[in-house]
Amino acid sequence: MSSKKSKTPKFQAGDRVAERPKATAIPNLRHEVLNRIQVYKTQRFGVVVDTYVKPIKTPKRGIIGRQFVKVLWDGLKTPSHHDQMRLVHEHEFEKVRDEYIGAIGD
């Protein structure tokens, strides 16, 4: 039995989104390396500019269409492209973050 996911994009242009929470602790790095990557460890919020389907080649299923989102992050001038599974609606962020913290432990 195969399960087909909806081809409908989860986000629409104009939606406020956030990156899904992610672990930011990397053990055993030198202090100077930690300082250099510190600027990339902040949580990002932004606005969806566009959605599109990107063909992705997989070893078992051949080419599949994945939903991608073009996001203009707050404070940046140029949008970037992300798989929609890496994003959540901004109003859902606190709930998703709390579940994530509960799953990995405090």
Side-chain angles (χ1 to χ4, degrees):
M1 173 188 266
S2 70
S3 72
K4 292 277 185 179
K5 292 187 178 180
S6 171
K7 298 287 184 195
T8 310
K10 181 178 177 182
F11 305 102
Q12 303 298 322
D15 287 353
R16 292 280 305 164
V17 294
E19 284 184 301
R20 285 190 174 274
K22 55 187 176 279
T24 56
I26 304 171
N28 303 323
L29 287 181
R30 293 188 324 267
H31 185 67
E32 53 273 8
V33 174
L34 285 172
N35 288 339
R36 208 172 34 199
I37 66 172
Q38 188 67 31
V39 295
Y40 302 106
K41 292 172 60 173
T42 59
Q43 182 63 48
R44 295 193 293 183
F45 296 90
V47 178
V48 173
V49 176
D50 192 18
T51 61
Y52 60 97
V53 176
K54 180 178 180 180
I56 304 289
K57 186 175 182 181
T58 66
K60 291 185 180 181
R61 294 174 44 201
I63 295 178
I64 61 170
R66 295 291 303 261
Q67 292 289 336
F68 271 69
V69 181
K70 193 174 181 181
V71 179
L72 180 59
W73 298 113
D74 295 348
L76 298 180
K77 295 179 182 178
T78 307
S80 55
H81 304 260
H82 302 275
D83 193 319
Q84 80 172 4
M85 71 179 180
R86 295 193 36 105
L87 305 171
V88 295
H89 284 101
E90 186 177 51
H91 66 273
E92 298 172 340
F93 175 70
E94 284 189 35
K95 178 183 176 210
V96 172
R97 182 193 59 205
D98 293 344
E99 289 172 353
Y100 178 75
I101 290 170
I104 63 172
D106 288 331

